[in-house]
Amino acid sequence: GAWWMNEVVVSDRLTVTGGARYDIGALTVEGFHDPLLEEYLLSQQMDAGEAARYALRAEELQRRFGDWSGAMGVVYIPSLKHTFRMHVGKSYRYPTAGELAANGVHHGAFRHEQGNSTLTPERGIQWDGAYRYRDDRWEVLVSPFLSYFGNYIFLEPSGEWSLLPHTGQLYRYRQSKAVTGGGELKATFRFTDHWQLGGDLEMVRNQNLSDRFALPFSPPDMATGELIYMDRGAGMLAQYRLRLEFRQIFDQRRVAKNEEPTPGASLWNLSAHLQWRFGGQRVITDLQVQNLFNTPYLNHLSFYRRLNIPEPGRNMQLIVRVPIG
């Protein structure tokens, strides 16, 4: 591939950056037929044609790809308190070997994944922006985004039961027109030099434009609040910081066909940071307590979700660092 990029400083307040890139790629997959698997499936009274499809663990193919992508971004800073950013671009991604030719158990994800040799390179148009306000007390960030794909590649639960052990339903790679959007809203307020209150809201929305369902494996909405106390001292006590965080994970019911919804959860986390000196040596300690109240919950994006295995309960870590030099 080859790329070109340029930045133009229009003024002290306005900067424009842009670039273009062209990529070419060739992919060769050696076919693999598993005769032992086929023999086993036939012994289980499976149809010969279906047994042959399962035994073809990788399809032999040769593909060549090539296309361009580009982007342009603008940064406008009208004053020290305000910053505006905007970016628009065209993306291009050719399918991987797994997306094209895989046919078997993904042991890390506990599912049977099946490639699609007819997939074409994924092309899309993206826009995102950001506005930041900052003064002595407040800091606010708003960052929306929107993308459209003419042939988005994704792994879809088919609703068909796989005959391979420890797998469940078949997951097939396919592509479709799709749109995704969302953003983040983040705010921080400093009461004093010591106390700080912050909040963060993250949202993602998407849709498969072919069947009007959501795309699979979409993250749920999430809201986070934090209260921080910090002190910057002198002498023996260099710095310490205490942080209490509340995280609300909302129910994820915007799911694809044949995908299970996931209930939300309310979690509390606590952390303490301390820098101090011992015998003239600087020491940094961090104490972290995740999931303070030992709340059982499921992660919608985790490989363990389909097994209904919850995320870790109360988790405590003490990290000690001693800089040398």
Side-chain angles (χ1 to χ4, degrees), residues 9-302:
V9 180
V10 181
S11 67
D12 293 340
R13 298 182 178 183
L14 180 63
T15 303
V16 179
T17 304
R21 173 173 173 151
Y22 193 88
D23 286 272
I24 57 175
L27 180 69
T28 300
V29 178
E30 294 183 7
F32 175 65
H33 179 268
D34 189 344
L36 296 178
L37 177 59
E38 184 175 25
E39 182 180 346
Y40 167 76
L41 295 175
L42 290 173
S43 70
Q44 302 300 308
Q45 310 305 315
M46 180 182 285
D47 176 79
E50 191 172 15
R53 285 193 295 272
Y54 271 85
L56 184 61
R57 302 298 302 280
E59 183 176 350
E60 181 178 355
L61 57 87
Q62 287 187 333
R63 298 286 300 274
R64 283 180 168 78
F65 310 98
D67 203 350
W68 69 277
S69 56
M72 185 179 73
V74 177
V75 179
Y76 178 56
I77 308 176
S79 68
L80 294 177
K81 294 183 177 181
H82 304 276
T83 302
F84 295 88
R85 299 176 185 271
M86 189 180 70
H87 165 268
V88 62
K90 172 188 177 296
S91 65
Y92 164 74
R93 182 182 76 86
Y94 51 78
T96 65
E99 292 169 338
L100 289 167
N103 182 25
V105 181
H106 186 312
H107 292 282
F110 314 104
R111 62 184 176 229
H112 182 172
E113 296 185 2
Q114 200 170 74
N116 182 349
S117 61
T118 66
L119 294 177
T120 58
E122 183 181 276
R123 296 175 174 88
I125 298 174
Q126 289 81 36
W127 171 89
D128 63 79
Y131 166 70
R132 183 189 297 273
Y133 173 83
R134 178 186 294 176
D135 62 18
D136 294 337
R137 296 294 182 189
W138 282 96
E139 182 174 351
V140 179
L141 173 66
V142 183
S143 53
F145 70 91
L146 181 65
S147 302
Y148 170 79
F149 297 90
N151 51 353
Y152 184 73
I153 299 173
F154 60 97
L155 186 62
E156 182 182 56
S158 68
E160 299 177 24
W161 190 264
S162 171
L163 296 177
L164 298 180
H166 314 299
T167 55
Q169 63 174 317
L170 269 168
Y171 285 73
R172 292 193 177 102
Y173 283 101
R174 58 166 295 202
Q175 56 190 164
S176 169
K177 293 182 179 180
V179 61
T180 66
E184 180 181 12
L185 172 61
K186 186 175 183 179
T188 302
F189 179 67
R190 299 176 183 86
F191 294 97
T192 67
D193 292 338
H194 300 292
W195 289 97
Q196 177 178 305
L197 181 66
D200 187 10
L201 177 62
E202 304 172 21
M203 299 178 64
V204 175
R205 296 290 184 275
N206 56 49
Q207 190 175 71
N208 178 346
L209 297 179
S210 297
D211 58 19
R212 300 299 176 179
F213 280 85
L215 293 169
F217 312 115
S218 299
D221 296 341
M222 186 179 303
T224 304
E226 63 178 12
L227 179 64
I228 297 177
Y229 179 80
M230 66 177 67
D231 190 18
R232 302 179 183 275
M236 294 299 294
L237 184 61
Q239 180 186 17
Y240 65 87
R241 181 176 66 247
L242 301 174
R243 179 173 181 263
L244 178 64
E245 178 191 77
F246 171 74
R247 177 168 297 180
Q248 178 64 49
I249 305 172
F250 294 93
D251 296 348
Q252 179 54 296
R253 302 192 180 280
R254 297 176 302 277
V255 294
K257 288 188 297 185
N258 307 307
E259 183 183 22
E260 286 188 86
T262 302
S266 301
L267 306 173
W268 291 88
N269 304 313
L270 181 67
S271 64
H273 172 84
L274 173 64
Q275 297 189 39
W276 50 290
R277 291 188 178 274
F278 180 77
Q281 174 64 53
R282 181 165 167 253
V283 179
I284 305 170
T285 57
D286 285 284
L287 174 65
Q288 301 175 5
V289 183
Q290 305 292 330
N291 196 356
L292 185 62
F293 297 108
N294 203 32
T295 303
Y297 71 102
L298 297 170
N299 181 353
H300 185 72
L301 302 183
S302 171

